[in-house]
């Protein structure tokens, strides 16, 4: 069985993963979901990664999973601990020296109008969960958005990318190109929008468990 370290996206929290955690634990896996210190104005990217490393502790058979903005943090975690696999779920892929705030222009991102957050991010999430997620949103302090991503290259860990076909924030065609350019791989795909951990927790957990069972080589 595997230990899944689950990293939320921008403005999110560990609670975003609770439905997926239930499914993974039902399958016999261990899970660790972490609240990144995104509201702390003194916390940088390294501090975010350290919060995950501390929560993981001495657990082994580690699969690091990141959603959306969490893609900036997960590779840093894999650089600090022995991970068997890194899974990016409709996540941002950093480049060496790139501040997260520059990612949008550097990738050519042309995003939608996000004034209706439900329509863009949560259109397929049950209304009660969508309302809860919006009500629990957290502000993101600037430091970690402005500092250069610190690694010289991608960590030496097998990596999978799971793209959401109905994502209205990161359109599939755009993300396929970003994944090809930045990771040199073809992404896997799943139905649903930008928050599959809330809209399709059982299906996402099944995908993650399947990846954990294939931890024998680089994707």
């Amino acid at each position: 069985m595997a230990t899944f370290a689950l990293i939320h996206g921008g403005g999110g929290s560990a609670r975003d993963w609770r439905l997926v955690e239930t499914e993974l634990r039902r399958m016999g896996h261990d899970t660790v979901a972490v609240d990144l210190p995104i509201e702390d104005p003194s916390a940088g990217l390294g501090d975010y990664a350290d919060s995950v490393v501390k929560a993981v502790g001495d657990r082994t058979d580690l699969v690091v999973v990141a959603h959306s903005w969490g893609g900036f943090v997960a590779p840093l975690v894999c650089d600090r601990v022995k991970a068997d696999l890194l899974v990016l779920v409709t996540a941002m892929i950093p480049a060496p020296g790139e501040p997260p705030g520059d990612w949008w222009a550097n990738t050519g991102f042309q995003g939608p109008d996000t004034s209706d957050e439900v329509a863009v991010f949560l259109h397929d999430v049950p209304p009660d969960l969508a309302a809860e997620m919006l009500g629990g949103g957290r502000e993101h302090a600037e430091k970690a958005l402005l500092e250069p991503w610190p690694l010289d290259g991608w960590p030496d860990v097998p990596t999978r990318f799971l793209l959401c076909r109905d994502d209205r924030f990161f359109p599939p065609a755009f993300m396929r190109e970003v994944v090809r350019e930045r990771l040199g791989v073809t992404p896997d795909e799943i139905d649903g929008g930008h928050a599959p951990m809330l809209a399709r927790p059982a299906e996402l957990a099944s995908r993650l468990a399947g990846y954990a069972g294939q931890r024998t080589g680089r994707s």
Side-chain angles (χ1 to χ4, degrees), residues 83-97:
D84 294 337
L85 182 67
L86 168 57
V87 183
L88 300 174
V89 180
T90 189
M92 299 165 78
I93 304 168

Side-chain angles (χ1 to χ4, degrees), residues 96-118:
E98 177 181 67
D102 290 352
W103 185 90
W104 314 97
N106 291 346
T107 58
F109 177 75
Q110 296 180 352
D113 178 359
T114 58
S115 57
D116 186 341
E117 294 181 84
V118 171

Side-chain angles (χ1 to χ4, degrees), residues 84-185:
D84 294 337
L85 182 67
L86 168 57
V87 183
L88 300 174
V89 180
T90 189
M92 299 165 78
I93 304 168
E98 177 181 67
D102 290 352
W103 185 90
W104 314 97
N106 291 346
T107 58
F109 177 75
Q110 296 180 352
D113 178 359
T114 58
S115 57
D116 186 341
E117 294 181 84
V118 171
V120 175
F121 298 102
L122 305 168
H123 60 91
D124 58 343
V125 173
D128 57 333
L129 290 179
E132 179 184 327
M133 188 171 184
L134 292 177
R138 302 160 67 204
E139 294 296 325
H140 205 145
E142 281 195 343
K143 182 176 180 179
L145 304 176
L146 302 178
E147 66 180 12
W149 194 68
L151 297 187
D152 293 330
W154 204 253
D156 186 20
V157 59
T159 301
R160 305 291 291 261
F161 193 101
L162 186 59
L163 177 151
C164 296
R165 297 189 189 98
D166 307 305
D167 194 334
R168 296 177 181 176
F169 184 56
F170 288 154
F174 165 76
M175 288 307 298
R176 291 185 190 107
E177 186 64 18
V178 171
V179 174
R180 185 189 66 80
E181 289 184 353
R182 296 209 165 191
L183 289 180
V185 302

Side-chain angles (χ1 to χ4, degrees), residues 4-49:
F4 290 89
L6 304 167
I7 303 172
H8 63 77
S13 70
R15 188 167 171 77
D16 299 347
W17 290 103
R18 68 190 185 280
L19 301 178
V20 172
E21 288 191 279
T22 296
E23 295 291 336
L24 289 171
R25 289 171 179 168
R26 182 179 58 79
M27 299 176 199
H29 299 290
D30 189 14
T31 66
V32 180
V34 182
D35 281 322
L36 301 177
I38 60 175
E39 295 168 303
D40 183 350
S42 68
L45 289 168
D47 299 305
Y48 289 20

